[in-house]
Amino acid sequence: MRQKIAQVKEKDKQTLQETVSLLVHDLRSPLDNIQKISELLLSPKRVFDEKKQVEYMRMIHDSAASMLVLINNISDAVKLSAGRLVLKETRGDIAQLVKDLESRGAMEYTI
């Protein structure tokens, strides 16, 4: 019995390490984008026209938005595991939901 408990604890530890590793990777990429693009915009040696500035600001916004989605998902997962997540039933178009998720790259397929 103790061996089984030790195996479960080890599996939990490994799962946590893998999850943290994925989260770090998923947060590092947009943070890196934000840092590099903002450095580019703040560089006194470069001058950008308004169209280019708006394009770069949109990139910063999109990177920040993707991090916020990830953080919200992590928060929901913690609430779910603690039994504190409240789900609300609503009517909607499931086909459109799947299309939206696919367009955001939120769907993974395994064959």
Side-chain angles (χ1 to χ4, degrees), residues 19-31 62-78 104 106 108:
T19 302
V20 169
S21 177
L22 287 170
L23 292 174
V24 167
H25 176 268
D26 287 350
L27 286 171
R28 182 178 287 144
S29 182
L31 277 171
D62 292 348
S63 291
S66 72
M67 286 190 311
L68 183 58
V69 167
L70 180 60
I71 296 298
N72 287 336
N73 289 343
I74 293 167
S75 176
D76 288 347
V78 169
R104 290 188 283 164
E108 290 186 23

